[in-house]
Amino acid sequence: MNNERNSRNMATDVKLPELGEGVTEGELVKWLVKPGDAVKADQAIAEVLTDKATVEVPSPVAGVVKDLKFKSGDVVKVGATMITLDGAGAAKPAAAQPAAAAPAPAASTPAPAAGGGKAQDVKLPELGEGVTEGELVKWLVKPGDSVKADQAIAEVLTDKATVEVPTPVAGVVKELKFKSGDVVKVGSTMIILEGAGGAAAPKAAPSAGPVQSAPAHSAAPAAKAAAPVATASSDIFPPVADSKVLATPATRRLAREMGVDINSLTGTGLAGRVTREDVMSSGGGAAPAAAKAAPAAAAMSIPKPAYQGPAGAAEERVPLIGIRKKIAENMQRSKHVIPHFTIMDEAKVDAMVALRESLKEHAEKNGTKITYLPIVMKALIATIREFPMFNASIDDAAGEIVYKKYFNLGFAADTPNGLVVPVIKNADQKSILEISKEILDLSKRARDGKLKPDEMKGATITVTNIGSIGGTYATPVINHPEVAILGMYKIDEKVVLKNGQVSAIKVMNYTMTADHRLIDGAVAARFLAAFIGRIENPGKLLVELI
Amino acid sequence: MQNFDVVVIGAGPGGYVAAIRSAQLGFKTAVIEREFLGGVCLNVGCIPSKAMITATHLLHKAQHNFKEMGLNIKGGIDVDMKQLVKWKQSVSDKMSGGVNQLLKGYGVTIIKGDAEFKSSKEISVKSSAGTESVQAKYFVVATGSRPIEIPGFKFDEKDICSSTGALAFDTIPKRVAVIGGGYIGLEISSYLRKLGTEVTVIEAQSALLAGVVDPDCAQIVTRKLTKAGVNVLYGAKAKGQKKVKDGYEVTVEINGKDEVVKCDKILVTVGRRPNGDQANLKAAGIAVDERGFVKVDAQRRTNVSNIFAIGDIAGQPMLAHKASHEGVLVAEVIAGHNRVYDAKTVPAVVFTDPEIAAAGMTEAEAKAKGHTDLLISKFPFAANGRAVSMMETDGFVKMIADKKTHVLLGVHIVGPEASNLISEAVLAIEMGARIEDLALSIHPHPTLGETMMEAAEATLGHAIHIIQKPLKA
């Protein structure tokens, strides 16, 4: 549009630009330049006080200051000439419009240049911050179709949203490289176009910024947010709050952002108001499949209190990033969502210690060593078969309890980078020897930071063994969406009186921390007793072996 | 050919807000406007009418209250209608200029011209400079509404006017016939009467503002209008008009009989219709209902996934503040935020004398929504110190709450500054307040705002400044 270019090479008047809504004039506070100064485009030339704020007035063009038209204290009307510049030539389009003016940085398009008629690969562009891949939902074109520049060719589902992928150039579709359901990495070739190059006209136009899905218009202040990501969905989830729900507008918005259907919550506030806390503790439901949004989208809103130490105190600040940040978020989420309670007891473990001693040699022959952990895991699985809710999850969004018929046991591993939880998948189908080997392998790779993400996913219950380091009891935090965590502690000797005789026995402490929404105290106590019964008599395990 | 992330069609209170919010969110944004920035609201609606109302309100006070207050004006007051209209225009121009500056300040491209969809991704903009093509990933349709014309009364905006023409009268008309006793007709009738115009309101129903506001509120305004000399014909249907020597004769049918209303100007304010027939929405595949509203979902998305609609074109109520709220909403939806329109109430304000303002449900609506037992109270402005000191004691604050939970359901105010007082009610309703919350919040004295507190107390049976019988349990 009106891109008037002041491409004059003579003297130029610099006027007081519009300073804000309803502001018609300002008082000149001081000059930032004097006659004879060379000024660059956008350099501030004066400070002007309006009834709203003091603002710096930039010169839209470069040049040498010839004269100043006002002195400090003068009231200058918007539009009045403030200074005259000599040799103003490096003109920029009208001031106050930096966004529109900045020459578009070379299009992020693989320059179509003059290469009319050639075949060209259309790649998956960057889809947003931190998004490296997406799942191909569907093709919007088929081989033989002619496409225009910027036409959408496919819908791709990322973990944030469904986006339409445009082609930067026109051409005829020769080949589709993926099929629906495939995961496509950013930068991979999606389609090949024949006769590409010709129609990329808008890219070449000097004034129009290239519009592609990538945020190309870097001049916009919040360029990062510039890629539009709205997705169409016929059903709004969660549904719009019914007017009967009492909740403040901010709480209603929080619920929506967390993917919680506020209509389904019971308010604990005055007169049945749904409070911010009610929403937070509802756990943040995942959007149902229909809404297409990935469950991860239901972000937890974690409070961010500031910490201010005493002035001059010896403190060091390091960024809270990486694994530590992830742990912090996970722990906080668990504590937000799950009402925790812990029950503790002691087991006599002479028999288990003897069993392990007797197996040492056999294990070594099989190239591994047996710790107490795999035996504990087997006892845990056998006990879960009796009490299946310990291997469950709560689907808050659906309002359902999910009982899992498989046993994936996480175990907390202490690593130099912090706590990680590798998972023994289908532990019920593996022998103690196999589990031992797997534990050794996973622990070593955990310490080396070489675990793959899916080796830490999908646990149905977790065992933590911090007691091997110290402490008699602890209250471990449940790894959401699991509902329980078993803690085991160090083996100790204890003096007992038995039939009037003093004797020494070996004992080991156990804790069961459970999700009180699902598991009552008495049930947890029975569970722990049944579990300890197996630990105290490992022969039971053999009898129960499937 | 220009390319944008977001293109907003229409720069009214919905459109320009959507454009600014889009730009704030980092989108390359354009707004297309064929007439004036700020739309009807800033140019020929809300703002200029309030300028006229303010001026005539002062005139009225000077004429009727000053003497009693001991303020004597020597030689009477002249109304310089040309200056009044000029001043009114300057208010509109200032506001419209402000919108221009804001849009520019945020880097929004302003395109002047008539927009027409070519497809769901492209529009053409026609202006005196020619036709250009504009493409965008997202469009926001904010093309508003226009006054409804009735058969036999074609607008010339000089003698047969919509609100637009009426706001531009540069001489005080002697006799005006106002067809339609809705809020626009009555706002204009109020101030014309204060200028000395003989006003006849021709209303088809049996009451003014019927179905628009709480009937108790409408009654106060009706009484005051009548007292001020406005002639109201109820159950009356305007059938036609003819030019005669000294003005116009409007034929009106009342109870099957024709009568004639003589006047110089005819004002037709029977409602507004959405501009669903404009901008060639069909070419983009946008569904429009039989009344001309664009069909939208709770995110204000049309049936075409990259096109949104807001404001008057997107459904009732046709109010500027609802449009602005939707403008922010759609920009944030486009940016990928999880937002929907879930306001509990859209306040409504009528700038008659006295003003009427409402938020939340009426008694009938509350009952329809299942609130069988209600607490209802009225607190009169006559019992409020500030209102008495302003010599504006007509009216009351009426509150409706659920008897079981004491949750505030609706507030209806008729009286001085009702338009400003209603905001407290909006906040209270959105927050899910109980009437105790209003009663227990200390309100500053002496202010009109105290009436909110006392009305809340009155629902509980113990307002201080009126004598209440104890409520039955």
Side-chain angles (χ1 to χ4, degrees), chain B residues 254-274:
Chain B
I254 305 175
N255 297 330
K257 277 194 291 188
D258 282 0
E259 289 183 21
V260 168
V261 174
K262 295 188 172 214
C263 60
D264 308 311
K265 307 269 184 191
I266 301 167
L267 175 56
V268 181
T269 56
V270 294
R272 300 183 64 83
R273 85 163 70 218

Side-chain angles (χ1 to χ4, degrees), chain A residues 388-396 398-406 460 481-483 518:
Chain A
M389 72 278 270
F390 286 78
N391 205 42
S393 283
I394 294 183
D395 182 342
D396 283 288
E400 287 169 348
I401 303 168
V402 185
Y403 289 99
K404 287 163 239 180
K405 312 285 190 192
Y406 51 93
T460 55
E482 297 161 44
V483 293
L518 188 59

Side-chain angles (χ1 to χ4, degrees), chain B residues 241-261:
Chain B
Q241 45 76 26
K242 70 167 186 243
K243 182 116 179 71
V244 292
K245 203 162 53 197
D246 58 343
Y248 288 86
E249 283 182 2
V250 179
T251 310
V252 178
E253 184 189 314
I254 305 175
N255 297 330
K257 277 194 291 188
D258 282 0
E259 289 183 21
V260 168
V261 174

Side-chain angles (χ1 to χ4, degrees), chain B residues 45 56 66 75 139 185 203 213 226 231 297 309 312 366 383-384:
Chain B
T56 53
F66 278 15
F139 288 96
E203 168 58 52
V213 298
T226 317
N231 182 29
D297 67 11
D312 289 1
N384 175 269

Side-chain angles (χ1 to χ4, degrees), chain B residues 36 38-53 88 92 163-165 167 183-184 187-188 191 272 320 351:
Chain B
F36 20 52
V40 169
C41 171
L42 262 53
N43 297 279
V44 291
C46 318
I47 299 297
S49 65
K50 263 79 265 179
M52 298 300 284
I53 285 167
K88 175 221 73 176
S92 283
S163 51
T164 304
L167 283 164
Y183 75 95
I184 297 174
E187 286 182 12
I188 296 173
Y191 79 71
R272 300 183 64 83
F351 289 87

Side-chain angles (χ1 to χ4, degrees), chain A residues 227-248:
Chain A
V229 289
T231 54
S233 68
S234 49
D235 300 314
I236 307 266
F237 183 86
V240 182
D242 185 84
S243 64
K244 278 181 191 146
V245 176
L246 281 188
T248 68

Side-chain angles (χ1 to χ4, degrees), chain A residues 20 211 231 245 252 256 273, chain B residues 101 137 301 344 430 432:
Chain A
V211 174
T231 54
V245 176
R252 302 203 298 266
R256 176 157 301 283
R273 267 182 204 75
Chain B
Q101 289 178 11
K137 291 196 187 69
R301 195 192 294 269
K344 276 184 191 293
E430 288 291 351

Side-chain angles (χ1 to χ4, degrees), chain A residues 187-373:
Chain A
S188 354
T189 299
M190 296 193 73
I191 61 171
I192 296 178
L193 288 184
E194 270 179 332
K203 306 288 180 240
S207 62
V211 174
Q212 210 198 340
S213 81
H217 30 278
S218 63
K224 170 172 96 156
V229 289
T231 54
S233 68
S234 49
D235 300 314
I236 307 266
F237 183 86
V240 182
D242 185 84
S243 64
K244 278 181 191 146
V245 176
L246 281 188
T248 68
T251 303
R252 302 203 298 266
R253 174 177 288 190
L254 175 71
R256 176 157 301 283
E257 284 170 347
M258 286 176 65
V260 175
D261 177 4
I262 201 163
N263 303 300
S264 70
L265 299 184
T266 308
T268 62
L270 195 66
R273 267 182 204 75
V274 176
T275 65
R276 183 178 173 80
E277 288 68 33
D278 293 335
V279 174
M280 299 288 279
S281 61
S282 71
K292 280 188 188 170
M300 211 52 199
S301 167
I302 289 173
K304 293 191 165 72
Y307 167 78
Q308 182 67 57
E315 292 174 344
E316 182 193 353
R317 283 181 174 247
V318 293
L320 176 57
I321 51 171
I323 291 187
R324 184 43 55 194
K325 182 174 182 215
K326 199 77 200 154
I327 293 172
E329 285 170 4
N330 288 347
M331 293 298 107
Q332 185 142 20
R333 182 188 305 111
S334 287
K335 277 290 194 178
H336 259 302
V337 174
I338 303 176
H340 281 64
F341 81 100
T342 306
I343 183 155
M344 315 176 177
D345 209 345
E346 177 185 271
K348 295 186 277 291
V349 292
D350 298 87
M352 188 170 68
V353 171
L355 173 71
R356 178 175 168 256
E357 285 298 316
S358 70
L359 294 173
K360 255 187 178 169
E361 205 180 322
H362 178 73
E364 269 160 29
K365 271 189 200 157
N366 281 281
T368 187
K369 60 178 191 183
I370 292 179
T371 60
Y372 293 105
L373 183 54

